[in-house]
Amino acid sequence: MIAVRFADKKKNTEQDSDWNQMRNISRAQIRGEKNVEKFVINGGHPLKGEILVSGAKNSAVAILPAALLLDVPCMIENVPDISDVKICLKVLKGLGAEVKALGNDTYWISCRNVTDYYVPYKEAKKMRASYYFLGALLGRCHNARAAMPGGCPLGARPIDQHLKAFEILGAKQLIEDQQSDIVELHADRLHGGRISMDVVSVGATMNAILAAVKAPGITIIENAAKEPHIVDLANFLNYMGAHIKGAGTDVIKIQGVEKLMGNAGEGSQDVAYRYAVVPDQIEAGTFMIAAAATRGDVLIKGVIPKHLEAISAKLRDCGVTVEELDDEEAVRVCASADSKLTATNIKTEPYPGYPTDMQPQMATFLTIAEGESSIIENVWEDRFRYVNELRKMGAEIDITQNGAIVRGGSGLSGASVNACDLRAGAAMIIAGLMADGCTEITEIQHIERGYADIAAKLRGIGADMKKV
Ligand code: UD1
């Protein structure tokens, strides 16, 4: 029997005030008073040189909440300087964690004083990954409360598989109303269980790991997602003393442990374990496509070439040279001015298939590849809003039932375009770099959720790009 509890008055008032603030922001945006920052790109310059990739957004936004599960402080390195990370850190601090920045990509975090389990409504609404606080807080406090997560508008983004996993592990939803915008969970006790995911979900797999890692008994996650960030989260937790096997395959087995404190003894509150987030596969892929699209020659450093295989294979199909330099942790991408670039077909799939988060960038590149390319989107139902923006720049793209057809070969011209979401924004940057003339990109706050210092990084390899 699921208990029903109503949110207390104080939290409702906070929520109302958060809502009002959000509504005011949107009105101000409509009046053009906020978020007037833009990227301005003068295109047509081949990118050349070396560029360094930051830590992975999708790892960092799970590993930071995972710090709530630790019984000792930790130091997380290679954390990207992006707005989604800032939100995670703000939520951690709001819950009572001590967070110290050590340089611009390392954070010392101690959660010893955390007792709260309410994620502020406004922060939860700002990003999809706020759902990781549900799994981490449930694992820590056996209670968790957050708003339904926000994030890029890519169509329906349910969290039923997350909730199913939590329930199998012993949690109940305290707000029964299916339409509720709030998720509140409580477990008298958590325990291991067998979770068979109905769909392959990155977030649900990571959340099941977070909730199960300290749950007594054995948890099996079947039909698990295999993305590099799942392996990264498991590596971090195992380093701290968890028993997680099989991350990176479709069956993950977890033996619950009582404490997560590395090999520190009881009371060793001063030990801080260091862990570095893996390189960002999607940022690396975005730079690879930018290099190819501008017919440049770029060494992309600080990457794990294996994570990029699906992207490398598609670029090679189109006639781009991609060298994987495992020992140097780099890939080199080049396409000379006279190399013939040809069409290809893309189907997005969970890892190790072609990533959906690289679909808009590849579609943009394909506008210069001769012939007709077909794109099939299998993960998100509404991931083609960027097509209208590319059309403003002269792209010939038709939308089909679950995909698009790109008729390539003609090139793009500069225009004023909008970053409709994070990866659509990355696609607009590539389009601006490829195009003749000047491109202005608005709504760049979407891009800054996931790309650290992107204008400066691209300027370092010859882009004429600035933020104004
Ligand atoms: C994560 C990434 C996102 C990426 C996506 C797919 C983060 C923070 N975000 O999102 O950038 O595009 O993986 O690689 O890591 N689904 C359900 N029920 C659920 C959960 C998901 O039906 O409970 C469906 C979704 O609607 C979607 C598919 O499963 O069609 C995959 O979604 P999922 O892997 O969960 O994506 P996210 O974790 O939200």
Side-chain angles (χ1 to χ4, degrees):
M1 170 79 177
I2 291 180
V4 182
R5 208 174 93 187
F6 294 98
D8 65 55
K9 203 169 167 202
K10 173 173 166 274
K11 295 287 172 180
N12 268 345
T13 314
E14 271 173 22
Q15 184 189 321
D16 290 348
S17 117
D18 285 351
W19 261 123
N20 285 338
Q21 271 189 39
M22 283 179 70
R23 282 166 51 202
N24 288 340
I25 286 168
S26 339
R27 286 193 202 111
Q29 275 172 355
I30 291 162
R31 288 197 301 268
E33 290 166 10
K34 285 217 168 189
N35 294 318
V36 288
E37 286 179 326
K38 305 174 196 177
F39 286 134
V40 177
I41 303 174
N42 286 302
H45 307 289
L47 299 179
K48 292 208 163 117
E50 296 182 1
I51 194 165
L52 187 64
V53 167
S54 300
K57 162 187 170 284
N58 289 347
S59 278
V61 294
I63 286 175
L64 293 171
L68 287 164
L69 293 161
L70 307 186
D71 298 283
V72 284
C74 62
M75 247 190 260
I76 315 289
E77 299 172 343
N78 204 29
V79 178
D81 186 13
I82 54 175
S83 59
D84 272 13
V85 158
K86 292 191 177 104
I87 297 168
C88 282
L89 295 170
K90 191 170 172 191
V91 174
L92 279 173
K93 284 185 203 162
L95 292 168
E98 292 168 75
V99 177
K100 290 180 205 157
L102 310 172
N104 64 352
D105 73 350
T106 302
Y107 293 90
W108 178 93
I109 301 171
S110 167
C111 295
R112 74 189 102 181
N113 297 325
V114 171
T115 48
D116 197 0
Y117 58 86
Y118 275 48
V119 178
Y121 187 83
K122 193 169 62 179
E123 311 313 331
K125 281 291 174 197
K126 281 184 190 158
M127 63 171 186
R128 178 76 179 158
S130 56
Y131 51 36
Y132 292 131
F133 282 97
L134 288 173
L137 286 166
L138 192 60
R140 180 192 175 93
C141 320
H142 293 189
N143 287 298
R145 179 186 157 106
M148 282 293 285
C152 292
L154 307 175
R157 301 191 77 175
I159 61 162
D160 56 300
Q161 297 303 303
H162 305 235
L163 299 176
K164 171 178 148 172
F166 296 147
E167 202 162 319
I168 291 171
L169 296 172
K172 290 173 179 165
Q173 276 193 74
L174 296 185
I175 300 177
E176 215 177 26
D177 179 0
Q178 297 290 313
Q179 304 305 315
S180 171
D181 198 27
I182 303 285
V183 181
E184 183 158 3
L185 301 160
H186 168 76
D188 290 337
R189 57 177 282 274
L190 289 171
H191 49 73
R194 180 177 286 270
I195 303 161
S196 184
M197 298 287 179
D198 301 329
V199 292
V200 179
S201 160
V202 171
T205 303
M206 308 257 260
N207 244 338
I209 293 174
L210 290 167
V213 80
K214 283 179 135 179
I218 290 181
T219 296
I220 311 271
I221 307 171
E222 293 167 336
N223 201 21
K226 297 181 269 198
E227 269 67 3
H229 25 293
I230 288 165
V231 180
D232 205 26
L233 175 67
N235 284 345
F236 169 65
L237 290 167
N238 281 342
Y239 178 58
M240 296 308 305
H243 289 175
I244 305 168
K245 287 186 181 161
T249 75
D250 56 6
V251 181
I252 297 176
K253 186 172 172 185
I254 302 166
Q255 166 81 61
V257 294
E258 206 181 317
K259 297 266 181 195
L260 286 177
M261 53 195 313
N263 53 13
E266 283 292 343
S268 312
Q269 279 296 337
D270 295 332
V271 178
Y273 284 83
R274 302 173 83 98
Y275 185 85
V277 172
V278 288
D280 197 308
Q281 172 207 20
I282 304 301
E283 188 196 23
T286 302
F287 294 152
M288 289 169 77
I289 292 185
T294 57
R295 293 180 177 272
D297 183 349
V298 178
L299 187 69
I300 298 146
K301 293 169 69 174
V303 304
I304 299 174
K306 185 162 180 45
H307 293 170
L308 305 170
E309 275 173 355
I311 304 158
S312 303
K314 283 297 160 190
L315 285 173
R316 286 189 186 116
D317 261 11
C318 300
V320 176
T321 303
V322 181
E323 282 175 54
E324 289 166 14
L325 307 162
D326 285 303
D327 291 346
E328 293 167 48
E329 297 181 343
V331 286
R332 179 171 169 237
V333 177
C334 59
S336 63
D338 50 7
S339 54
K340 186 171 159 67
L341 299 175
T342 51
T344 190
N345 299 324
I346 305 282
K347 272 189 204 166
T348 65
E349 309 273 2
Y351 188 82
Y354 189 86
T356 173
D357 286 356
M358 286 301 304
Q359 185 259 96
Q361 301 90 315
M362 183 58 99
T364 305
F365 164 72
L366 290 173
T367 62
I368 55 159
E370 277 174 39
E372 215 170 77
S373 298
S374 127
I375 296 175
I376 296 182
E377 173 56 58
N378 287 314
V379 181
W380 299 118
E381 63 190 29
D382 187 14
R383 189 150 221 181
F384 287 98
R385 295 183 328 139
Y386 67 88
V387 166
N388 273 336
E389 304 305 305
L390 285 183
R391 284 181 183 144
K392 292 179 194 164
M393 301 178 74
E396 290 183 37
I397 307 181
D398 293 329
I399 303 284
T400 58
Q401 201 186 356
N402 61 343
I405 301 286
V406 183
R407 279 188 299 282
S410 52
L412 300 176
S413 317
S416 289
V417 290
N418 189 23
C420 316
D421 60 58
L422 168 55
R423 306 305 172 185
M428 292 308 118
I429 291 177
I430 293 170
L433 295 168
M434 292 160 68
D436 282 337
C438 179
T439 296
E440 284 192 2
I441 306 173
T442 51
E443 299 285 331
I444 64 170
Q445 75 279 4
H446 291 299
I447 301 173
E448 292 179 336
R449 284 189 40 227
Y451 290 89
D453 217 2
I454 189 156
K457 280 193 182 187
L458 289 170
R459 274 199 304 274
I461 51 172
D464 180 348
M465 171 172 176
K466 62 185 176 203
K467 180 170 156 178
V468 295

